[in-house]
Amino acid sequence: MVNTGRRERRKLETRRRLDEVALRLFLEHGYDGVTVAQIADAADISVATLFAHVPDGKEALIFDDGSERRAGIVAAVRERADTESVLDALERFFASRGPYSTKLPAEHAEKRDLIVETPALRSYARRLWHSCEPLLVPVLAEESGLAADDPAVLALARFVLEVPDLTGTAADPLAALAGVFEVLRYGWPA
């Protein structure tokens, strides 16, 4: 067990409080109706302290640092069953997340809906997905036997990382996800 120091515990507690306060305010007033100053005030900290904890601004208060999604997408490819294709593994990975999941607890569903309905948050989520590219490309190259700088590998990685943005706001996100992966598997119909 790692013994976290007092200072680190206080930083984690402040960040947790900021996340909770921001989400509550966003749900009550809409994302665009809340300022960084209002979040700091409601969390009883200064704006400077808020930015020390969240240098990317208020969008980052809704998301983690992206490390979980980067690790998750790589694990989906590397830890898939021998009988499962890379594309099937990636589709399964996305289907269990955010706009595609139908089994989210109410508090997570509210957060998901806020993200889907807020252009600034969708844009930030897109940047987080793009941050997966440097880790996904070598895995796709390894699995395909192609070089990491092969345009086919780069194209697949980039397109796959656009899938949440392309399908997450569809009327039926899961069906849209399936449709995009069908095109990836079988190509564009003649």
Side-chain angles (χ1 to χ4, degrees):
M1 183 169 121
V2 175
N3 187 7
T4 309
R6 180 178 180 195
R7 184 175 184 181
E8 189 60 29
R9 285 192 312 270
R10 287 181 63 194
K11 284 173 62 175
L12 290 171
E13 174 56 28
T14 299
R15 176 57 198 251
R16 185 194 59 73
R17 189 170 73 248
L18 280 169
D19 292 349
E20 288 175 359
V21 165
L23 181 59
R24 179 180 51 80
L25 290 172
F26 295 154
L27 292 173
E28 289 173 3
H29 306 287
Y31 176 81
D32 293 325
V34 178
T35 66
V36 169
Q38 290 170 316
I39 296 166
D41 186 53
D44 196 27
I45 63 170
S46 70
V47 171
T49 299
L50 183 145
F51 279 113
H53 287 275
V54 190
D56 287 346
K58 68 181 188 175
E59 293 94 348
L61 290 166
I62 294 298
F63 299 94
D64 63 17
D65 65 1
S67 59
E68 180 274 329
R69 79 181 58 213
R70 288 188 295 272
I73 200 165
V74 167
V77 174
R78 283 210 167 119
E79 297 171 10
R80 72 188 195 286
D82 291 340
T83 57
E84 186 177 35
S85 74
V86 168
L87 289 175
D88 288 345
L90 288 168
E91 182 178 7
R92 181 178 43 80
F93 169 74
F94 284 120
S96 69
R97 301 182 63 88
Y100 313 106
S101 178
T102 57
K103 298 177 183 177
L104 289 176
E107 64 273 9
H108 293 286
E110 285 180 326
K111 187 176 180 179
R112 175 206 52 211
D113 294 346
L114 176 69
I115 293 167
V116 167
E117 295 165 5
T118 307
L121 294 176
R122 285 196 322 269
S123 177
Y124 190 82
R126 187 174 185 221
R127 288 195 310 269
L128 287 175
W129 281 117
H130 287 191
S131 76
C132 298
E133 186 176 336
L135 295 174
L136 183 59
V137 165
V139 173
L140 292 176
E142 180 183 314
E143 293 298 321
S144 67
L146 299 172
D149 63 351
D150 187 296
V153 172
L154 297 171
L156 179 60
R158 288 182 187 169
F159 192 75
V160 163
L161 295 172
E162 286 291 339
V163 168
D165 189 56
L166 295 170
T167 61
T169 58
D172 184 347
L174 201 52
L177 177 73
V180 167
F181 273 92
E182 285 300 302
V183 170
L184 283 172
R185 280 185 199 89
Y186 305 114
W188 191 256

